[in-house]
Amino acid sequence: MTVAATGGAVIIGASAGALDALSLILPALPADFARPILVIVHIPPDKPSALAQILDAKCRLPAVEVGDKDPVVPGVIHVAPPNYHMLIEDEGHFALSGEAEVLFSRPSIDVSFESACDIWGDRLTCIVLTGANQDGARGARMIASAGGTVIVQNPTSAYARAMPEAAIAACPQAKIMTLPEIARHLQEHAR
Amino acid sequence: MTDAQVKVEDLEIRLLLDALYYRFHYDFRNYAMSSIRRRLRQARVDMGCATISALQEKVLHDADMLPQMLRYLTVQVSEMFRDPGYFKAIREHVVPHLRTYPSLKVWVAGCSTGEELYSLVILFREAGLEERTLFYATDINPDALARAQAGVYDLERVRKFTENHRLSGGDTSLSDYYHTGYDRCVLDKSLRRNVVFSDHSLVSDQVFGEMQFVSCRNVMIYFDRALQDRAIGLFRDALPRNAFLGLGAKETLRFSGHAAAFRDFVPAEKIYQRTGA
Ligand SMILES: C[S@@+](CC[C@H](N)C(=O)[O-])C[C@H]1O[C@@H](n2cnc3c(N)ncnc32)[C@H](O)[C@@H]1O
């Protein structure tokens, strides 16, 4: 079994204001962070996205955009590509899907959360950040009921509060944290 | 769901896929599980079944369920000139090679409702190659094939098609190829002059001829790696040296056992060329 298999994974969903929020969390992670990190951000469907490159330049961990059947690698930031849902096929592989948009989004945060929950269950840490919609709430609830950890950005400190608020409403057990607290939490749970 | 629940559900899914195979000879057993799981959960809820096993019972005893199940198990999302850069690359880099052949065969594998096929036919007409080309458009979903053959689309989609066509470098007006009625856009039937539509599965059927270009986009993402390899093996057999294979934007031959039979041709657009290997 790989490191990923024992340590589970971290999955992060963000929408409006995503880049600033991610830029406060991901660069804080050490180069030996031992879990795979999956990132889903709402991005426009019909043009290439620079998100993975930008994160790669800012972080000690490498960041890559996910392609179909790409490996899930510990210590790598995997970014969902534009216009596809990012599913997790097994502990070691992604699968992409062009199924219909969910809540007007492809990639959809809920779709990836749900799929990651099937694979990692209680070994999953899910984080819902800033956003102006409801995506992620449903998936976060599912992850919480499977015994995973759900962290939601404190809505009062979020660029857009609707998404964190919806996640908290759907998932009362969620831990509510500011971005620096989330960064610290991940540093402490690096493996 | 807990781990144990997921495992039972996965078992039910495998049994349902077996049932579909033995009952109807549709073989989804090696499709990517993550996506099948998601779509069967949707089907279960929509059809008011408490479990996937209950859904299986319906599938086995009600033959009318098959078209419905195919609607869930195959993903029918398409667009004319989807990813305009792909079609631009075909115009600029593939067409000049194809011009050197006196006759051409093009295979659109997993053509869904026809958008990709008609995009290629229009592109070939614009390039002056349509006359010498025979197009094969294949899929496993009979409803999708029938719609491909009809070539009728919702009018509201045409704006996007037109924009894509322009971005792909089209030098004619897309409106030259359709007329509108009510809320429909009806493609000119002359676009089907050189097209053969056929039921063909990349899972179980064989190669049916030598092609100069195969376009198979967003079909193999729904397969597991082993099944992807089978399909790529078919393309390898169908394509003689120097012929072309085009895949979807996020697909790759990198993981395939047949990778050595192809070289990158336009890597950014996932267009490959067959080597002699
Ligand atoms: C998302 S559509 C792709 C449409 C088009 N190629 C495009 O990219 O716009 C996928 C299609 O693959 C078809 N398909 C699924 N399994 C197949 C198989 N084993 N052999 C051939 N086609 C298959 C489905 O029925 C569906 O029409």
Side-chain angles (χ1 to χ4, degrees):
Chain A
M1 285 227 169
T2 60
V3 182
T6 52
V10 176
I11 189 165
I12 307 176
S15 188
L19 185 58
D20 287 346
L22 291 169
S23 298
L24 275 169
I25 298 176
L26 296 175
L29 302 182
D32 63 350
F33 194 85
R35 304 160 83 192
I37 300 169
L38 285 54
V39 175
I40 307 98
V41 173
H42 294 152
I43 39 179
D46 42 14
K47 55 174 197 235
S49 158
L51 183 60
Q53 278 166 312
I54 295 171
L55 293 177
D56 189 63
K58 286 180 184 239
C59 298
R60 272 166 282 186
L61 299 173
V64 295
E65 189 174 280
V66 170
D68 183 49
K69 304 296 172 324
D70 272 0
V72 176
V73 185
V76 170
I77 300 167
H78 301 275
V79 180
N83 215 14
Y84 290 85
H85 295 302
M86 181 174 78
L87 302 173
I88 298 83
E89 181 65 7
D90 54 42
E91 303 240 347
H93 299 95
F94 291 98
L96 298 181
S97 168
E99 285 160 72
E101 300 177 346
V102 177
L103 301 174
F104 309 104
S105 300
R106 192 175 51 216
S108 146
I109 298 169
D110 277 336
V111 168
S112 291
F113 277 13
E114 185 173 334
S115 181
C117 183
D118 291 334
I119 300 301
W120 286 292
D122 60 3
R123 291 177 294 127
L124 188 63
T125 300
C126 123
I127 303 175
V128 180
L129 300 177
T130 168
N133 54 72
Q134 318 265 297
D135 200 4
R138 194 188 131 99
R141 182 172 54 210
M142 200 169 169
I143 291 165
S145 47
T149 305
V150 176
I151 297 171
V152 180
Q153 181 180 4
N154 189 333
T156 56
S157 71
Y159 173 83
R161 54 192 299 162
M163 209 164 89
E165 277 174 351
I168 293 165
C171 186
Q173 2 10 2
K175 300 180 186 172
I176 300 166
M177 300 184 191
T178 62
L179 295 172
E181 285 166 350
I182 295 173
R184 211 167 318 127
H185 176 94
L186 288 179
Q187 287 163 354
E188 285 160 9
H189 295 78
R191 46 201 73 243
Chain B
M1 280 200 278
T2 65
D3 256 18
Q5 284 170 324
V6 174
K7 287 198 181 103
V8 170
E9 189 194 43
D10 278 4
L11 181 60
E12 292 178 285
I13 290 172
R14 298 211 175 280
L15 292 170
L16 171 58
L17 298 183
D18 277 350
L20 276 169
Y21 177 64
Y22 291 116
R23 174 89 167 80
F24 300 107
H25 304 289
Y26 275 93
D27 192 353
F28 293 101
R29 295 173 300 173
N30 292 301
Y31 281 48
M33 186 63 173
S34 47
S35 165
I36 289 283
R37 197 188 281 124
R38 181 177 140 66
R39 285 177 277 139
L40 285 180
R41 279 179 188 163
Q42 251 162 28
R44 179 185 74 69
V45 172
D46 294 353
M47 295 185 197
C49 297
T51 61
I52 303 275
S53 303
L55 183 60
Q56 178 188 323
E57 156 115 29
K58 268 196 193 190
V59 169
L60 281 174
H61 295 287
D62 180 356
D64 297 343
M65 284 285 290
L66 180 64
Q68 286 206 56
M69 289 308 294
L70 287 182
R71 217 173 302 142
Y72 284 98
L73 288 166
T74 65
V75 174
Q76 305 298 335
V77 174
S78 195
E79 212 172 75
M80 279 182 85
F81 296 95
R82 174 185 194 172
D83 306 321
Y86 174 77
F87 292 92
K88 195 162 201 272
I90 294 172
R91 277 182 213 284
E92 291 173 358
H93 303 291
V94 177
V95 159
H97 284 260
L98 297 182
R99 273 191 207 295
T100 62
Y101 293 85
S103 73
L104 294 165
K105 284 183 178 167
V106 171
W107 177 14
V108 183
C111 66
S112 185
T113 40
E115 292 86 337
E116 181 187 355
L117 164 77
Y118 290 115
S119 308
L120 286 171
V121 175
I122 290 168
L123 190 158
F124 273 54
R125 187 176 291 186
E126 286 170 333
L129 291 177
E130 187 201 8
E131 305 271 271
R132 66 175 95 157
T133 305
L134 188 53
F135 295 88
Y136 296 92
T138 63
D139 204 282
I140 57 165
N141 185 321
D143 291 341
L145 270 177
R147 285 169 57 196
Q149 203 147 7
V152 177
Y153 303 104
D154 287 345
L155 200 50
E156 61 186 28
R157 301 178 63 199
V158 170
R159 180 203 293 250
K160 181 74 179 163
F161 293 177
T162 304
E163 161 87 352
N164 285 350
H165 173 246
R166 191 181 56 74
L167 290 171
S168 81
D171 56 8
T172 59
S173 164
L174 195 65
S175 59
D176 297 347
Y177 307 100
Y178 65 81
H179 64 269
T180 57
Y182 301 101
D183 48 358
R184 293 293 148 111
C185 143
V186 181
L187 292 185
D188 194 313
K189 65 176 186 299
S190 73
L191 293 173
R192 285 188 287 278
R193 256 186 327 227
N194 296 341
V195 182
V196 178
F197 293 89
S198 174
D199 172 63
H200 180 280
S201 173
L202 297 170
V203 178
S204 48
D205 290 321
Q206 300 304 320
V207 167
F208 49 86
E210 193 172 281
M211 306 289 151
Q212 279 66 51
F213 178 39
V214 173
S215 190
C216 182
R217 313 193 69 214
N218 303 301
V219 179
M220 291 190 289
I221 54 175
Y222 303 105
F223 297 174
D224 72 12
R225 274 197 192 177
L227 188 53
Q228 289 184 342
D229 238 30
R230 185 205 191 257
I232 294 164
L234 290 185
F235 302 146
R236 171 198 178 131
D237 292 345
L239 294 166
R241 189 193 171 98
N242 292 335
F244 300 93
L245 171 64
L247 304 181
K250 298 294 162 199
E251 297 175 284
T252 179
L253 293 182
R254 200 170 58 218
F255 306 124
S256 167
H258 302 290
F262 296 89
R263 75 169 75 90
D264 285 338
F265 188 69
V266 185
E269 298 300 340
K270 304 296 161 72
I271 298 173
Y272 297 85
Q273 187 173 36
R274 187 77 169 80
T275 63

